[in-house]
Structures are given as C-alpha cells and as structure tokens.
Amino acid sequence: MMTTLIRQEDLIESVADALQYISYYHPVDFIRALNQAYEKEANPAAKDAMAQILINSRMCAQGHRPICQDTGIVTVFLRVGMNVHWEGSMSVTDMVNEGVRRAYMHPDNTLRASILEDPDGARRNTGDNTPCVIHYELVRGNALDVHVAAKGGGSEAKTKFAMLNPSDSVVDWVLQMVPLMGAGWCPPGMLGVGIGGTAEKAMLLAKEALLDPIDIHDLQDKGATNRSEELRLELYEKINQLGIGAQGLGGLTTVLDVKVKDFATHAANKAVAIIPNCAATRHAHFTLDGSGPARIEPPTLEDWPEVAREAGGDVRRVNLDTVTRDEIAAWKPGDALLLNGKMLTGRDAAHKKMVDMLAAGETLPVDLNGRFIYYVGPVDPVRGEVVGPAGPTTATRMDKFTRTMLEQTGLVGMVGKAERGPAAIEAIRDNRAVYLMAVGGAAYLVAQAIKSARVLGFPELGMEAIYEFEVKDMPVTVAVDVNGESVHQSGPQIWRARIVDSRG
Ligand code: SF4
C-alpha cells in the first residue's frame, strides 16, 4: 500500500504561511461579491462603508498588513488520509499550534494575539494566539487536506442556535434571528447555516459552510436542485429584504451569500445553527502530499477594484481638542464627520477596571472629562508604523459601563462599531453625549488617520490598554445623537420600507 510521509516542519510552515496570507488577502470571490454589492447600493452611507472596506482590502493586499485589527481565533479543519504517516516528534495538534504561533509572531506582519486562557476566570492572554480550535476527520487516501480560518470575535459572537420542532420553519427562525444579530458582525458578509445532526453537529456544519466560495449568483442562474439550495436562494433574498445593510446603516445588501449544510437527524429533532462571517472573511485551503510545504498562489492586484470614496457634500471636520457640548448637540444621526486631534482608547478590560475603580472611590489613570473614547484594541506596529490596524470593536459590549462612564467621568463621546443597546442609548440621551461609528473591517485604512499613539493607562492590559491617539481626518458617522436618536434603528427601517415598496 502506498503511504505518504508528512514532515512536521512542512505542516508547521504551511499553516503559518496560510495564516499570514489570509491576514492580508481577502478571498477573491469575496472581493468580487462585495464590489457587486457596492456598485448596486443605493444608500450612500452603506455604499461609503463598503467603499472603505474595499479600499482597506486593497491597501492590505499591497502592504501585507491585517485586514482587521481583530486577526481572529484560528480554526483548522484537517482531513487526514488514512495512508498518511508523520515524521517528527510533535503531536499533530502541537504542529498546528506551532504554525499559529509563528504566523501571529511574524516580525514583518505581527498579528494581534486575542486568545485568553481561563475564559471564566483570569482571562489571561496566551501571548501568541494559541491554542487554535482543530477539527479532525480521517478519510481514505494519501493526502492531508487543510482548511485554515481566522474568525473575528465580533462575528462569532452573533452565532445563534435552536433546537426547532420538526415542523418549525427554518426560514422563519433565521429571519427572526438575523435582526437580533445587529451589526456587530460587520455586514455584509456570509451566513453559514447548519441543519440537522445533533446540537454540536449543526454548529460545525454552519462553520464549515463558511469555507465554501461565494457563488450565489451561479445558483440563481442554474436554479436549486435540492432542499439546501432552495433554502440558500430563499434566505439570500429574504435576509437582504430586511434592509439591514452594510454596517447596519440600512441598505440593499446584508448578506453576500448564504451557505447551507445539512445532515441526517433524529425524528424528534431539527437542530439549526447560524454563524455569520464578517467583512474580514479569512480562510484558505491547501493539501500536503509529502512533497514539501504548501504554497498558496498570491492573487494579483488586478483582482481588486479601484474604488474611490465619493466626496460627500456635508462632511464636517471636528477638532476633538476644542469641540464643545453645543457643537456636539448639533450633530444628527447619519452625519459624516472627520475627527482631528486627541482621543483616548479603551475596550472591555479597561472599562471593567475603570468602573471597578470608580466604585472603590479610586482615581482613574486618565482624566476623561470632555474627551472622546475609541473602542479599539489595535495590532502592534511593525516597520515604523505609529500603530497597526486599529478599527473599532463592537460597542454593545461597553453598554453596561456607559452610564457610569458618562455620569462619573464627564466623557462626552464614544467611537465604536455597530449599534448601541437601549440602556446605553438612554444613558447617552440623559447625558447629552454622542456615539459615533467607524467602519468595522476597514482597520488598516482607519490606522492611516492615526498620527501618534502612546499608552496612558493600564499598560499591563496589552492591546486593551488605554492609549491616547492623535488623529487626522478619521472618518466616522454619527450613530446616536444627544437626543438618543439612532441611525441603526432608523436606517434599516427606512431601507426595509423602500425595498418592500420597490417590489410593489
Ligand atoms: S470585520 Fe468586524 S467582526 Fe470581523 S474581525 Fe473585524 S471587527 Fe471583528
């Protein structure tokens, strides 16, 4: 019987190379689909968000720097041929983790280490983005087939699962769930749907579905031949009719594709899981056959459209160092701003620490009075950069701290991504504060606006420390104004109604 010998170093190197590759190259099918959605978008705010994601993508492909500051949790699917033998002293799991370590600590393109051990305890950063999540399957044959993905935390957080009754409608359930996902998953992207099996099998199917290329238009042309394909077509159309749009601003495209995988199930069950893939869609596939490490052909820059942001009529420049509460009160949801001057940063861990310190009557390491805070955890800089990619993180995670922060520190504004929840909106209204959104998935582009960065507080928190950034013309949109009006409520409502009207 023919056997294949796979060397430890070949697998490590191939995994590391693939992870570096997907950190800065979007899949070409994603770029094409996003560009199509960009061209047909009728809401200028959503169109601009997609322009930023496309421009960011091209810059990352050119500069070999991450598409998003969240460089993801690595998930690897290994299909191991039963005739494969191994040369090396490590377990296969250790080899894959070594590949992750090398990729994330690469000196020319260091990626953000986002993995914390002891998840319900100390939540300590492991420092090198390990361990990754690995799924194994033993299959016939002589080759090792590998899919690597790096999944953003914001989109993973929007996963939904239900054990439906056998007679319940999957379409109805999905259409109920998608609006609840808000915009923290950085739409437009893909939706993976897993149906059947057991609870964990449905989840795995949904995740695996996201590894397939975007090809919904081919399916529209050829028509469905089975139930999964029927569901794809129906869900793609009906989800886009919800009008959620890019970044939840309202618009014609919320999903670029819907992928469905199913598996036989018990007569009493119909498990269903949905997992979205965000603007930072990152996955690659390679095969090892014993002849050495895999090399994934890089795309050519011609695969990226040349997109220029249309100069909006009413873009307002704001000086954060002198801005007054009266000026802020004049901003309306949907207004486009260019931020200049100094702002602070802080995300989950810094907020928890500050709120605990305030409760204990301690003085904070920074004075937030009259300041803006940007919810971000940047990638470390390389090659003379001021800061690595530094896009916004999901703002709802800071909602529970917002009232305390506004009332006890004098903070006037926040910058993040996606919507705010009702409690945060009430706190913003009661304190006549404001919430601005930057585009999630345009992190390298946003980082170009950051002219200096220094750590002011909690240096022990690493990427979650409080920095002070000096920015020049950083593009943001007013998302919640001083009256508590939210563009994430009004935008999708307006666009949903327009889509319904246009269909007569
Ligand atoms: S694009 Fe959005 S959801 Fe995806 S990794 Fe970046 S911030 Fe997270």
Side-chain angles (χ1 to χ4, degrees):
M1 191 199 323
M2 220 179 78
T3 57
T4 301
L5 191 65
I6 299 208
R7 290 174 54 238
Q8 172 174 302
E9 188 53 30
D10 289 349
L11 177 56
I12 295 172
E13 195 181 319
S14 305
V15 168
D17 286 355
L19 288 169
Q20 274 284 312
Y21 181 103
I22 61 175
S23 76
Y24 45 75
Y25 290 135
H26 264 129
V28 171
D29 54 270
F30 175 86
I31 291 300
R32 281 200 197 112
L34 186 63
N35 191 43
Q36 276 173 11
Y38 162 77
E39 280 176 351
K40 79 162 204 218
E41 184 55 61
N43 176 5
K47 195 173 172 92
D48 183 57
M50 286 191 273
Q52 289 191 46
I53 294 168
L54 285 165
I55 294 167
N56 180 71
S57 178
R58 194 172 216 278
M59 286 172 62
C60 296
Q62 250 169 334
H64 288 194
R65 289 294 274 147
I67 294 163
C68 190
Q69 78 289 337
D70 179 355
T71 48
I73 179 164
V74 176
T75 310
V76 179
F77 290 85
L78 291 171
R79 285 160 61 85
V80 186
M82 285 159 71
N83 297 333
V84 164
H85 286 229
W86 301 90
E87 185 190 277
S89 55
M90 296 166 112
S91 71
V92 178
T93 297
D94 287 347
M95 292 178 207
V96 174
N97 277 314
E98 180 56 26
V100 174
R101 191 170 290 120
R102 277 195 208 169
Y104 277 71
M105 316 229 1
H106 196 297
D108 282 346
N109 178 34
T110 313
L111 307 178
R112 198 183 81 181
S114 308
I115 304 308
L116 313 180
E117 60 192 3
D118 195 6
D120 193 38
R123 292 181 69 81
R124 259 183 319 273
N125 196 311
T126 61
D128 56 14
N129 221 52
T130 65
C132 64
V133 176
I134 308 177
H135 303 286
Y136 290 96
E137 197 182 340
L138 270 177
V139 296
R140 292 166 68 88
N142 301 301
L144 175 69
D145 183 82
V146 185
H147 269 105
V148 295
K151 188 66 165 46
S155 57
E156 190 69 5
K158 303 300 177 182
T159 298
K160 307 274 182 217
F161 171 81
M163 196 53 99
L164 298 183
N165 290 316
S167 59
D168 291 344
S169 156
V170 168
V171 171
D172 288 354
W173 179 78
V174 173
L175 292 175
Q176 220 181 322
M177 291 302 115
V178 171
L180 303 180
M181 285 162 38
W185 63 282
C186 295
M190 285 164 88
L191 193 70
V193 185
I195 305 170
T198 50
E200 85 284 5
K201 179 70 180 176
M203 283 285 189
L204 201 54
L205 290 168
K207 183 58 75 67
E208 274 179 292
L210 296 173
L211 301 173
D212 289 340
I214 296 177
D215 59 2
I216 193 79
H217 297 305
D218 295 345
L219 182 60
Q220 283 172 325
D221 291 345
K222 81 175 169 64
T225 54
N226 57 39
R227 180 63 190 144
S228 292
E229 291 181 350
E230 281 170 16
L231 276 172
R232 283 184 64 196
L233 292 174
E234 187 175 353
L235 285 170
Y236 174 76
E237 197 179 321
K238 291 188 170 164
I239 293 170
N240 284 328
Q241 283 169 13
L242 295 171
I244 295 165
Q247 302 285 311
L249 290 163
L252 302 180
T253 303
T254 305
V255 282
L256 299 171
D257 199 345
V258 178
K259 295 290 183 184
V260 177
K261 277 194 190 292
D262 62 14
F263 193 84
T265 193
H266 189 284
N269 299 147
K270 185 152 75 176
V272 54
I274 52 174
I275 307 182
N277 216 3
C278 57
T281 285
R282 288 171 290 221
H283 55 87
H285 172 245
F286 62 85
T287 304
L288 294 186
D289 58 6
S291 62
R295 186 165 186 277
I296 306 173
E297 266 320 300
T300 66
L301 269 188
E302 281 93 77
D303 291 322
W304 273 259
E306 293 267 14
V307 171
R309 292 181 64 204
E310 283 157 29
D314 292 325
V315 182
R316 197 178 308 186
R317 274 210 167 79
V318 172
N319 183 345
L320 294 170
D321 302 335
T322 58
V323 69
T324 63
R325 283 191 177 265
D326 285 346
E327 267 179 73
I328 292 169
W331 300 346
K332 291 277 154 275
D335 283 358
L337 308 177
L338 291 171
L339 300 183
N340 287 271
K342 294 191 177 70
M343 66 174 155
L344 300 167
T345 76
R347 47 171 284 165
D348 307 62
H351 276 78
K352 167 99 177 60
K353 262 190 139 160
M354 285 192 282
V355 167
D356 287 349
M357 287 174 81
L358 290 168
E362 295 169 25
T363 310
L364 299 185
V366 266
D367 182 3
L368 290 125
N369 193 25
R371 310 282 312 256
F372 279 67
I373 198 161
Y374 179 28
Y375 300 147
V376 63
V379 177
D380 284 341
V382 297
R383 301 181 248 142
E385 288 172 344
V386 165
V387 68
T393 196
T394 307
T396 41
R397 296 199 315 273
M398 265 49 77
D399 281 6
K400 64 179 178 185
F401 306 116
T402 296
R403 183 169 288 278
T404 308
M405 293 293 289
L406 294 176
E407 290 182 356
Q408 297 193 30
T409 71
L411 184 75
V412 288
M414 296 146 283
V415 185
K417 75 165 196 200
E419 71 284 349
R420 304 306 300 258
I425 292 178
E426 275 169 33
I428 290 168
R429 186 198 57 208
D430 294 348
N431 290 278
R432 309 276 298 158
V434 71
Y435 166 63
L436 314 173
M437 58 149 282
V439 172
Y444 194 38
L445 177 69
V446 171
Q448 310 308 308
I450 301 167
K451 300 302 169 194
S452 72
R454 60 186 182 125
V455 174
L456 285 194
F458 307 144
E460 69 281 6
L461 294 181
M463 63 100 175
E464 296 210 46
I466 298 180
Y467 291 69
E468 184 177 66
F469 283 172
E470 175 136 27
V471 294
K472 186 166 188 309
D473 287 346
M474 175 175 159
V476 294
T477 302
V478 178
V480 181
D481 72 3
V482 295
N483 301 312
E485 296 293 326
S486 164
V487 76
H488 289 103
Q489 282 165 3
S490 56
Q493 262 167 25
I494 293 166
W495 284 88
R496 185 179 184 161
R498 285 198 193 171
I499 293 167
V500 171
D501 283 353
S502 71
R503 294 171 59 84

